Amino acid sequence: MSLPCFDSPAGPVAAGLLHPVAIHAELARQLGALLAPGTTLQADQPLAKRTTLRVGGNADLYVEPASEGDLSTVLRFATERQLPVTLLGRGSNLLIRDGGVRGIVICLAQPVFSGIVVEGDRLRCGAGARLKGVAVEARRAGIAGLEFLEGIPGSVGGALRMNAGAMGAWTFHVVESMRFMHRDGRVEELPAAEIPVVYRCCPLLKSCIALGAVLRGRPDSADAVGGRMAAYSAKRWESQPAQPSAGCIFKNPQPIPAGKLIDELGLKGTRVGDAMVSDIHGNFIVNLGGASAGDVLKLIEIVRDRARTVRGIDLETEVEILGED
Ligand code: EPU
């Protein structure tokens, strides 16, 4: 692991005398002294329970800032100590390796980042707001166009970062503007037209942190919106597995949807340990209970190998793979 940079380079860390757990505790003590009491800060936090796939190791430091001020303090601290920073949403599109994530993992889960405010046919949403909550608010307010968010088990921040999609729609189809923080703590808001996005990625958010977005729909009756949400939900329940997963593992390649390809290759039900290619949808790997990240990664390679050798198709992972083995 890369050693955090301490105040005194000649101290016990530089001498290699401290165990990583003690280093993380000391880093937490130093960072904690700069933060408000409402900010959650933990050393060596298990991350598996914070992801929908339920695999992976610990975060060296885990922080839930209580304000934008504390978020920028954490970023400054990380820059000064040369610690990597990782943003965690609701962990629904993540595969965290078994060795865990070095540096600081930040999650905008506190209420200050999770608001949803209706303004006419717009919703001003914090990055920590749940997508399901956004869809429910839109239905209550009679705003159409956001129904597809109903079944994506993520946060607004994660959906912006991944340009998440379902039912033929993308997150950025409904984004009017986005507020975000640069690594130096500067906050900026840009109209969606000035933010480049592609299928399943908003590259700007590889270096900046989404704070929230204004989503725009169009007026409709709450009943009509609710009807469409119910239809989407039914379609998802019949075509996607209910077991723990990270959603779709691969991006859809040009010639054929990944799920259909994996199905045609006869790979449904293939297992490595407790990781299994879903027998309901070929592009999902489910955790039957005791899977490790290593199991999932091996299974991904088996599927990619088969797709390449049998059909000449290179499957690219859609899930974010983070951390160390
Ligand atoms: N199909 C099969 N066998 C399978 C799975 C799918 O033949 O095992 C066929 C389906 O019958 C359909 C086609 O493949 O004809 C496409 O399947 P589906 O409608 O399920 O859509 P998808 O392209 O596999 C996409 C998104 C999902 C999103 C669904 C529903 C990607 C990679 N996936 O799946 O998003 O929920 O549409 O709108 O774009 C995610 O991003 O994590 C995700 C789950």
Side-chain angles (χ1 to χ4, degrees):
M1 60 172 285
S2 57
L3 270 189
C5 176
F6 273 76
D7 293 335
S8 158
V13 176
L17 299 177
L18 284 181
H19 188 272
V21 169
I23 297 173
H24 304 158
E26 173 58 15
L27 274 176
R29 191 191 63 71
Q30 293 182 14
L31 177 55
L34 307 173
L35 302 171
T39 288
T40 304
L41 169 62
Q42 288 150 331
D44 292 298
Q45 258 303 292
L47 292 176
K49 64 181 181 189
R50 299 184 189 278
T51 72
T52 53
L53 186 56
R54 309 217 156 257
V55 301
N58 294 351
D60 290 350
L61 291 189
Y62 174 81
V63 185
E64 289 180 7
S67 65
E68 288 186 9
D70 268 9
L71 173 60
S72 70
T73 300
V74 172
L75 294 177
R76 206 167 46 244
F77 182 87
T79 303
E80 284 166 9
R81 315 285 164 132
Q82 295 177 327
L83 297 171
V85 168
T86 303
L87 256 287
L88 180 68
R90 294 184 64 81
S92 59
N93 196 56
L94 274 189
L95 170 48
I96 291 175
R97 294 176 192 269
D98 294 318
V101 181
R102 302 290 72 82
I104 306 180
V105 172
I106 300 174
C107 183
L108 304 183
Q110 296 228 20
V112 66
F113 292 104
S114 306
I116 304 171
V117 178
V118 176
E119 296 167 358
D121 57 3
R122 296 175 171 84
L123 293 109
R124 190 172 290 278
C125 307
R130 291 179 58 191
L131 295 172
K132 186 163 197 87
V134 173
V136 166
E137 268 309 300
R139 179 182 61 196
R140 199 190 52 73
I143 301 173
L146 306 173
E147 296 88 340
F148 72 99
L149 298 175
E150 160 280 336
I152 304 178
S155 62
V156 167
L160 291 165
R161 164 72 183 80
M162 294 306 301
N163 190 16
M167 310 297 159
W170 281 357
T171 300
F172 272 84
H173 286 156
V174 294
V175 172
E176 188 171 76
S177 63
M178 180 174 84
R179 261 185 98 236
F180 56 96
M181 188 179 280
H182 293 268
R183 285 297 165 95
D184 61 7
R186 259 178 320 122
V187 173
E188 194 176 348
E189 181 156 4
L190 280 179
E194 292 178 26
I195 304 171
V197 293
V198 291
Y199 169 65
R200 295 297 191 262
C201 186
C202 170
L204 175 68
L205 296 179
K206 287 184 177 176
S207 55
C208 298
I209 295 175
L211 297 172
V214 175
L215 308 184
R216 184 163 193 190
R218 52 183 194 283
D220 200 351
S221 77
D223 280 353
V225 175
R228 281 189 294 271
M229 276 170 65
Y232 288 167
S233 172
K235 181 177 177 213
R236 205 181 54 263
W237 278 109
E238 74 184 25
S239 63
Q240 297 184 2
Q243 295 125 307
S245 77
C248 283
I249 289 284
F250 300 104
K251 292 180 182 172
N252 279 340
Q254 258 322 315
I256 181 173
K260 191 167 196 302
L261 168 68
I262 294 163
D263 195 351
E264 288 179 5
L265 290 169
L267 290 169
K268 281 178 161 178
T270 307
R271 274 178 78 161
V272 175
D274 259 358
M276 184 180 88
V277 176
S278 165
D279 43 22
I280 296 174
H281 193 300
N283 200 9
F284 283 67
I285 289 180
V286 295
N287 181 353
L288 298 177
S292 66
D295 295 337
V296 178
L297 288 162
K298 275 187 207 136
L299 194 48
I300 287 174
E301 280 319 307
I302 290 172
V303 173
R304 295 187 71 201
D305 271 3
R306 188 75 76 85
R308 201 179 298 120
T309 44
V310 178
R311 299 285 291 269
I313 295 174
D314 265 323
L315 284 173
E316 189 190 338
T317 46
E318 188 210 308
V319 285
E320 286 281 300
I321 303 176
L322 296 179
E324 295 179 350
D325 285 322

